[in-house]
């Protein structure tokens, strides 16, 4: 067990997979000589050489497509797209190629492709660099999406993604790279898409993922001091979603609060909410509530930027309201 | 050459340098956050090219666009305020450093996704051609941008329809940490334009007079209906790719340890995070401002005393801009909503 930063955990996972399987290689802008924008590929060029750790030109659609083609020949590419905002330029490779080829070929071509990308709202990077696009990929059958929120998950989920024969997007949050956490390299990893209870609680279930998982845990600590016990479920995967873990929890707490960083309208929470009410309608004591970002491009101004995305206080308030509302109803 | 023009260009180069250094300082003091891509070293490109342009021409630029905006006549105050995210900024604090827009001055924006300046310029060129207007569209981009599909697609359509666009490649030889020989099969960027039959030249982007003359020739051809033109201007950036390059927020000891272990990365970090060494600067050729000042002196357009006066005028303009930015109010959420719903003036949605 060692304490690692999130980026170090990813770096370690890359290193091990490169060492253990010579069909694994990585490419992207500034991944080799520079070591990656967030240092995830640091030191790998020196160790594995340029065929396996390749700097690319700024040609996202084509180098992501290269990953698809190479995967068809049995290599296991790990494509780094410098940030998720540039994945919009690689949508053809991701959506039309990677997600479709295994199916369109009648199952002849596995697609052992991993695409890593930082995303989310960091600090004042402007509207084009402050996006949460996970929901766009969720709507594409054939893609699997993981959203690690801890160094341990980053380590496990990247390794598992590389070993999978499906195309998997690993969405890393820009504000998590310098978070520290314990990483146990000998422990057995849970299934790639299994949700985790980050904090147990009897009163309400909070369903969340990525950086919002830490925000929700902070809120849960505050709520506990008021006597409200909020269970925090970190989904860890957005496609597929571990509904069973969610349903089990909601069936116990009878209250469900969704916390997401993306925009509210047609956001990830809309999917969580719709499916959970199908499963749990009769277990719920109150309508499922969502805490989400404003439906607005991210303003550059720092205070406005912060005001567009959920903070601990918003989660605490929503939880109180959800519980209070219920008391009102049952009285 | 006309003395007024020489002096105006020198003044703009000094303003450009002073503006960027002031921005760097504000960033270091925590007054500016986010990405901040600075221009020192490359001033001759924006100054030479934009002095050759007409006020009616359109300009499209990247995230490294403060100087283009400044030379285009957008006030130092409103650019600096935008960098500070203030309501008085040229984009009302909604855009930030990488997204300066000024409709009145036909500044069509700073774009942060590499390769976006091409289609925007293509569309602007199409609109100008469509109305048979005399204006030109000037499209700036870096050496790293030419490997994006939009570059090739745009050159093809611009040439096909003879659109009035001047493409200007600011070749500073770097795509963040990747040197041009490692990102491009053809490193003489102008040669790529030839593939689309677009007249193209390579010029010394450290020599403002050479840039000015080349831009003037090219713009003349654009206005004569000869279709798109292409300039590659070789230059050099003195600062890192941006102020928030990964290295700048790494714990010092960690960086040192890493650099000690990896000589290749150490060399790259040198280049990207600090001003380069004297020897490297010397190899890049003389500083464009120094070089131009010497030329102005030699030709009798200016002397040391006049330069000092000019410098202090420029410095007070920039100091004032910083003060203005700091004292300006923050935008409110109502301002943000107003910007967002601006298009809906005549329409009520549900
Ligand atoms: C589509 C896209 N991919 C990657 C990036 C990240 N990025 C920002 S600037 C840059 C390098 C651009 O180099 P160049 O075009 O030479 O311009 P310079 O910064 O040297 O002025 C990269 C890779 C981006 N902004 N957009
Ligand atoms: Mg460059």
């Amino acid at each position: 067990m060692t304490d690692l930063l999130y980026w170090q955990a990813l770096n370690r996972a890359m290193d091990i997979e490169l060492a253990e399987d010579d069909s694994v290689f990585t490419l992207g802008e500034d991944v080799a000589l520079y070591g990656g924008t967030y240092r995830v590929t640091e030191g790998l060029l020196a160790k594995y050489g340029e065929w396996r750790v390749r700097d690319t030109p700024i040609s996202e659609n084509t180098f992501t497509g290269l990953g698809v083609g190479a995967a068809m020949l049995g290599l296991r590419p790990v494509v780094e797209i410098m940030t998720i905002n540039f994945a919009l330029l690689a949508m053809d490779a991701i959506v039309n190629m990677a997600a479709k080829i295994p199916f369109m070929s009648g199952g002849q071509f596995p697609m052992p492709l991993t695409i890593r990308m930082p995303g989310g709202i960091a600090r004042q990077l402007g509207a084009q660099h402050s996006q949460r696009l996970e929901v766009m990929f969720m709507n594409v059958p054939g893609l699997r999406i993981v959203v690690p929120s801890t160094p341990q998950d980053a380590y496990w989920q990247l390794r598992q993604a590389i070993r999978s024969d499906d195309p998997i997007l690993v969405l890393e949050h820009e504000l998590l790279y310098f978070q520290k956490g314990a990483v146990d390299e000998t422990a057995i990893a849970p299934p790639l898409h299994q949700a985790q209870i980050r904090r147990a609680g009897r009163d309400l279930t909070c369903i969340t993922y990525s950086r919002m998982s830490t925000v929700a845990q902070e809120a849960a600590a505050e709520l506990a001091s008021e006597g409200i016990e909020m269970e925090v479920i970190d989904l860890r995967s957005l496609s597929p979603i571990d509904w069973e873990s969610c349903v089990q929890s909601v069936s116990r707490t009878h209250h469900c609060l969704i916390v997401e960083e993306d925009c509210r309208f047609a956001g990830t929470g809309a999917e969580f909410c719709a499916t959970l009410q199908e499963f749990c309608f009769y277990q719920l004591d109150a309508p499922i509530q969502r805490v989400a970002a404003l439906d607005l491009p991210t303003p550059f101004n720092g205070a406005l930027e912060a005001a567009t995305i959920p903070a601990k206080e918003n989660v605490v308030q929503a939880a109180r309201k959800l519980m209070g509302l219920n008391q009102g109803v049952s009285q | 050459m006309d003395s007024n023009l020489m002096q105006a260009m020198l003044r703009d180069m000094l303003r450009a340098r002073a503006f960027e250094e002031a921005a760097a300082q504000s960033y270091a003091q925590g007054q500016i956050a986010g990405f901040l891509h600075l221009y020192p070293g490359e001033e001759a490109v924006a100054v030479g090219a934009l002095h050759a342009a007409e006020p009616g021409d359109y300009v499209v630029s990247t995230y490294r666009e403060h100087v283009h905006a400044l030379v285009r006549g957008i006030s130092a105050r409103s650019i600096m305020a935008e960098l500070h995210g203030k309501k008085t900024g040229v984009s009302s604090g909604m855009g930030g450093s990488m997204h300066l827009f000024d409709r009145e001055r036909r500044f069509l924006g700073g774009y942060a996704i590499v390769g976006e300046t091409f289609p925007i310029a293509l569309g602007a060129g199409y609109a100008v051609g469509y109305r048979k207007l005399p204006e030109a569209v000037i499209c700036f981009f870096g050496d790293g941008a030419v490997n994006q599909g939009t570059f090739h697609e745009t050159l093809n359509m611009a040439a096909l329809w003879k659109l009035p666009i001047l493409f200007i490649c600011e070749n500073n030889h770097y795509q963040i940490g990747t040197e041009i020989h490692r990102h491009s099969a053809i490193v003489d960027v102008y040669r790529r334009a030839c593939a689309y039959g677009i007249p193209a030249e390579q010029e010394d982007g450290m020599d403002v007079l050479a840039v000015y003359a080349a831009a003037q020739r090219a713009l003349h051809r654009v206005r004569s209906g000869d279709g798109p033109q292409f300039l590659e201007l070789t230059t050099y950036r003195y600062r890192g790719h941006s102020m928030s390059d990964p290295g700048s927020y790494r714990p010092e000891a960690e960086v040192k340890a890493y650099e000690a272990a990896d000589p290749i990365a150490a060399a790259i970090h040198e280049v990207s995070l600090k001003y380069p060494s004297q020897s490297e600067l010397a190899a890049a050729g003389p500083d464009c401002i120094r070089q131009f000042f010497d030329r102005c002196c030699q030709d009798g357009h200016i002397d040391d005393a006049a330069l000092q006066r000019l410098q202090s005028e420029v410095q007070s303009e920039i100091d004032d801009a910083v003060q203005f930015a700091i004292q300006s109010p923050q935008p409110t959420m109502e301002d943000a909503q107003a910007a967002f719903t601006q298009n809906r003036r005549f329409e009520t949605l549900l």
Side-chain angles (χ1 to χ4, degrees):
Chain A
M1 190 90 99
T2 30
D3 267 358
L4 293 181
L5 300 174
Y6 188 87
W7 73 262
Q8 289 172 321
L10 291 163
N11 179 255
R12 185 87 191 109
M14 287 292 303
D15 195 355
I16 294 178
E17 292 305 315
L18 281 159
E20 291 189 357
D21 183 349
D22 74 357
S23 59
V24 175
F25 73 103
T26 187
L27 89 180
E29 291 153 27
D30 277 328
V31 298
L33 210 49
Y34 198 87
T37 307
Y38 292 97
R39 309 180 66 181
V40 171
T41 49
E42 195 170 282
L44 301 179
L45 170 65
K47 222 162 155 181
Y48 300 101
E50 65 176 3
W51 274 100
R52 302 193 64 198
V53 184
R54 178 73 80 180
D55 276 329
T56 65
I58 308 175
S59 309
E60 283 83 2
N61 196 31
T62 302
F63 71 66
T64 306
L66 181 162
V68 174
M72 291 175 79
L73 267 74
L75 295 186
R76 311 190 81 83
V78 183
V79 173
E80 173 178 309
I81 297 183
M82 194 179 262
T83 76
I84 195 168
N85 310 290
F86 318 144
L88 293 172
L89 285 84
M91 281 310 234
D92 187 48
I94 299 171
V95 177
N96 281 328
M97 303 185 207
K100 304 292 191 290
I101 289 169
F103 179 76
M104 294 192 301
S105 65
Q108 293 179 75
F109 288 99
M111 189 53 60
L113 168 68
T114 303
I115 305 176
R116 297 184 31 246
M117 35 200 175
I121 295 186
R123 300 233 160 77
Q124 286 196 265
L125 303 186
Q128 291 188 321
H129 275 71
S130 309
Q131 306 188 77
R132 302 119 298 174
L133 303 174
E134 54 269 29
V135 76
M136 296 195 181
F137 297 111
M138 282 169 68
N139 197 238
V140 180
L143 295 178
R144 289 163 58 179
I145 306 166
V146 297
V147 280
S149 73
T150 65
Q152 178 74 73
D153 278 348
Y155 174 81
W156 276 334
Q157 290 185 294
L158 178 55
R159 289 197 61 186
Q160 289 167 309
I162 294 172
R163 285 168 184 243
S164 164
D165 281 345
D166 265 341
I168 301 191
L169 311 184
V170 180
L171 306 186
E172 301 159 7
H173 198 290
E174 287 166 20
L175 291 183
L176 291 177
Y177 284 106
F178 294 87
Q179 298 291 315
K180 195 170 251 187
V183 175
D184 185 347
E185 295 193 50
T186 54
I188 292 171
L192 178 52
H193 300 285
Q194 194 175 76
Q196 292 275 307
I197 297 178
R198 296 286 179 210
R199 182 189 175 106
R202 58 166 197 269
D203 297 326
L204 76 157
T205 301
C206 174
I207 293 176
T208 187
Y209 61 95
S210 191
R211 188 177 85 83
M212 282 298 138
S213 161
T214 39
V215 173
Q217 287 171 69
E218 287 164 17
E222 186 169 327
L223 288 162
S225 68
E226 302 172 9
I228 300 175
E229 294 293 336
M230 180 166 84
E231 181 146 299
V232 178
I233 297 192
D234 180 351
L235 287 176
R236 297 173 72 245
S237 166
L238 293 178
S239 184
I241 288 173
D242 176 7
W243 297 117
E244 201 178 310
S245 295
C246 301
V247 169
Q248 268 180 16
S249 174
V250 173
S251 305
R252 271 188 285 109
T253 64
H254 309 289
H255 296 85
C256 181
L257 180 68
I258 289 161
V259 179
E260 58 187 315
E261 190 182 89
D262 67 339
C263 298
R264 182 182 173 91
F265 185 75
T268 53
E271 172 58 35
F272 306 161
C273 192
T275 301
L276 283 175
Q277 68 82 25
E278 284 171 6
F279 285 132
C280 313
F281 186 77
Y282 296 104
Q283 266 78 261
L284 286 166
D285 284 351
I288 299 175
Q289 296 295 313
R290 282 184 283 164
V291 179
L294 299 186
D295 293 314
L296 195 69
T298 310
F300 171 72
N301 177 272
L304 294 184
E305 174 185 76
T308 58
I309 52 171
K312 181 182 78 172
E313 298 70 48
N314 305 116
V315 180
V316 168
Q317 269 167 27
R320 280 190 201 129
K321 197 171 148 215
L322 180 58
M323 301 312 292
L325 195 76
N326 169 50
Q327 278 166 17
V329 169
S330 60
Q331 266 163 16
Chain B
M1 190 178 278
D2 173 17
S3 203
N4 286 338
L5 176 65
M6 297 282 273
Q7 283 170 15
M9 291 204 291
L10 184 60
R11 171 186 283 269
D12 270 346
M13 289 172 87
L14 294 169
R15 291 171 76 224
R17 182 73 54 94
F19 183 95
E20 295 292 65
E21 294 303 339
Q25 216 172 355
S26 289
Y27 189 93
Q29 290 164 356
Q31 302 276 2
I32 298 176
F35 290 139
L36 186 69
H37 307 83
L38 301 177
Y39 205 62
E42 309 189 23
E43 291 90 347
V45 173
V47 172
L50 293 174
H51 273 270
E54 294 294 329
D57 293 341
Y58 293 87
V59 176
V60 188
S61 189
T62 66
Y63 45 86
R64 199 184 296 287
E65 90 285 35
H66 314 156
V67 171
H68 305 92
L70 192 68
V71 177
R72 210 45 193 151
I74 304 176
S75 74
R77 280 185 163 199
S78 64
I79 302 171
M80 194 59 89
E82 189 60 37
L83 269 48
H84 284 69
K86 296 297 180 74
K87 187 180 163 93
T88 52
V90 69
S91 305
S92 309
M94 300 305 151
S97 155
M98 308 196 287
H99 305 298
L100 305 175
F101 288 82
D102 189 336
R103 189 182 180 88
E104 196 185 316
R105 290 179 188 77
R106 305 195 163 188
F107 197 80
L108 301 183
Y111 293 89
I113 307 295
V114 173
E116 284 181 336
T117 64
F118 305 118
I120 298 284
L122 184 69
Y126 196 87
V128 170
Y130 187 93
R131 298 283 185 207
K132 311 217 176 339
L133 296 170
E135 285 105 33
V137 177
I138 301 175
C139 176
F140 288 99
F141 52 96
D143 50 292
V146 304
N147 296 314
Q148 197 64 282
T150 51
F151 172 77
H152 300 274
E153 296 169 27
T154 297
L155 290 198
N156 180 49
M157 281 183 263
L160 186 64
W161 300 322
K162 280 197 175 324
L163 301 181
I165 306 172
L166 171 56
F167 293 98
I168 298 185
C169 179
E170 309 187 294
N171 182 358
N172 61 14
H173 310 283
Y174 273 90
Q175 165 197 311
I176 307 186
T178 305
E179 204 270 336
I180 191 165
H181 288 88
R182 301 182 54 259
H183 73 62
S184 282
I186 298 292
V187 295
D188 289 320
V189 177
Y190 78 101
R191 289 175 57 198
R192 297 186 182 215
C194 305
Y196 298 95
I198 297 178
E201 276 183 63
Q202 187 181 47
E203 282 291 346
D204 178 5
M206 303 301 274
D207 178 351
V208 71
L209 293 178
V211 173
Y212 177 80
Q216 227 186 10
R217 282 194 300 274
L219 283 168
H220 178 73
R221 287 192 297 265
V222 167
R223 289 188 222 286
S224 313
D226 293 355
Q229 307 289 315
F230 194 106
L231 288 181
E232 174 194 354
L233 303 170
T234 53
T235 182
Y236 199 77
R237 74 165 146 70
Y238 293 168
R239 285 193 165 266
H241 170 72
S242 78
M243 292 292 286
S244 64
D245 226 333
S248 57
Y249 51 74
R250 297 174 199 185
E252 180 103 328
E254 220 174 3
V255 176
K256 287 268 150 51
Y258 168 67
E259 287 180 353
D262 189 342
I264 306 174
I268 283 293
H269 287 305
E270 270 302 309
V271 174
S272 91
L273 301 176
K274 305 179 193 91
Y275 268 77
S277 65
Q278 285 306 318
S279 59
E280 239 182 299
L281 281 180
D287 175 58
C288 58
I289 299 183
R290 189 73 237 170
Q291 188 181 328
F292 185 49
F293 170 68
D294 289 347
R295 177 67 192 273
C296 287
C297 282
Q298 200 183 310
D299 296 357
H301 298 297
I302 199 164
D303 56 23
D304 278 320
L307 176 69
Q308 270 182 11
R309 251 193 335 270
L310 196 54
Q311 265 171 330
S312 79
E313 275 170 35
V314 162
Q315 199 53 51
S316 38
E317 178 195 359
I318 301 303
D319 291 346
D320 163 75
V322 173
Q323 278 316 306
F324 174 79
I326 290 172
Q327 284 159 11
S328 287
Q330 306 279 353
T332 62
M333 196 50 94
E334 288 68 46
D335 295 328
Q337 293 291 355
F340 187 54
T341 52
Q342 183 69 18
N343 298 339
R344 300 181 195 154
R345 267 171 310 176
F346 310 114
E347 235 182 320
T348 315
L349 305 190
L350 292 180

